[in-house]
Amino acid sequence: MPRIQEHPNHPDGGRKYGAFQTEIYKNGILDNKLPTVTTDPNKLEEQARHYLGARSFNYVAGGAGEKATMDANRLAFRQWKMIPRMLRPTTHRDLRVEIFGQKLESPLLIAPVGVQTIFHHDKELGVAEIARETGLPYILSTASSSSIEEVAEANGDGTRWYQLYWPQDHEITKSLLRRANSNGFKVLVITLDTWALAWRPADLDNAYVPFASGIGDQTGFSDPAFRAKFAKLYDNKTPEDDIFLASRQWEADVFSGAAHTWEDLDLIKAEWDGPIVLKGIQHVEDAKRAAEMGMHGIVVSNHGGRQLDGAIGSLEVLPEIVEAVGDKLTVLFDSGVRTGVDVIKALCLGAKGVLIGRLVRFQSSCEDV
């Protein structure tokens, strides 16, 4: 990966992201070496399809129903246009921001995406290492194929947040939060829109759900509270004794089909002493309720169109949500982001940070090929 260098003339040493482009040209002209991964966002998905098996590709690229929400996400970005201004003081471009008291290299965050072992043999560990090297916060998914502890070790002194798929069993929830906290995860991101898996034809047509065979269940299988519960229910068995049975039990806790309530957030607040962010907010009234409940932030998100078909594009609702709660909460954004210009648009509409998900997984699947 080309290095993102420090800006040689920046008064505070901000990163020189333009060096990435310069190094690509240099490698091509001097060494006849072309990028392994395409730089064209419209070709990246197809390149990933070439290297991934059908099940793996469909899992990350697919969406709910007829993918109308995915289309709405892209349309929302295309409807906003850039109007450039000239002769402005833009020589020293510093993208650094501060979110929840953490000084970050840019407003980009790596979104939580599960089961990364199906995209690359390095699993979550490779992306966590890259996040540290590039100065981006890494948000670990509960649906991970690596344990909380393994990811923390790989991320080292990097910035890391923990995303919670909220179990029904509060003892397991408390155990997950304790592990995340003790391993240096500073912000808790609770995903609200996935208490049950959506109707995803790309997965259904292949009868593929990775969690059913233990893929993406490592968070649970390595958790002391879950292991104790499993042993009590099944005659002292461990998850390793019966992967399929353990998988069903873990799914029953995490993707139970039973939703939590706003009042349940008090249970989380009692167990987590850092910032809490609610991911999946699409309505102004929900954003207001999050503020009333003492949350620190929200992610305006429709899960990249993976959960509810026919939903509104996330960018479409971002401005009114920012207007309603932007002075009370840190508003972050994801869903449909494909380019740097998309990031600029989201920031211009009030987001303080932007999560990128599919793009990172498409790229990682094309590495080391």
Side-chain angles (χ1 to χ4, degrees), residues 143 165-167 194-197 211 217 250-258:
Y165 282 130
W166 195 348
T194 316
W195 42 273
L197 295 178
F211 315 111
D217 296 336
W250 178 241
E251 286 184 69
D253 270 314
V254 178
F255 304 121
S256 65

Side-chain angles (χ1 to χ4, degrees), residues 12-80:
D12 297 319
R15 290 186 184 234
K16 186 180 178 183
Y17 291 93
F20 181 74
Q21 176 179 326
T22 302
E23 191 163 346
I24 290 176
Y25 284 129
K26 175 186 172 184
N27 289 340
I29 294 169
L30 299 181
D31 302 322
N32 198 30
K33 181 180 178 182
L34 301 180
T36 301
V37 181
T38 179
T39 62
D40 186 337
N42 294 321
K43 295 179 179 178
L44 181 57
E45 183 172 333
E46 283 307 307
Q47 186 178 16
R49 183 197 296 269
H50 176 74
Y51 291 113
L52 289 172
R55 287 181 168 183
S56 298
F57 176 79
N58 287 335
Y59 182 81
V60 67
E66 63 161 341
K67 301 205 278 191
T69 304
M70 292 180 67
D71 292 340
N73 283 335
R74 291 306 302 146
L75 179 61
F77 276 106
R78 293 185 182 278
Q79 287 176 329
W80 286 95

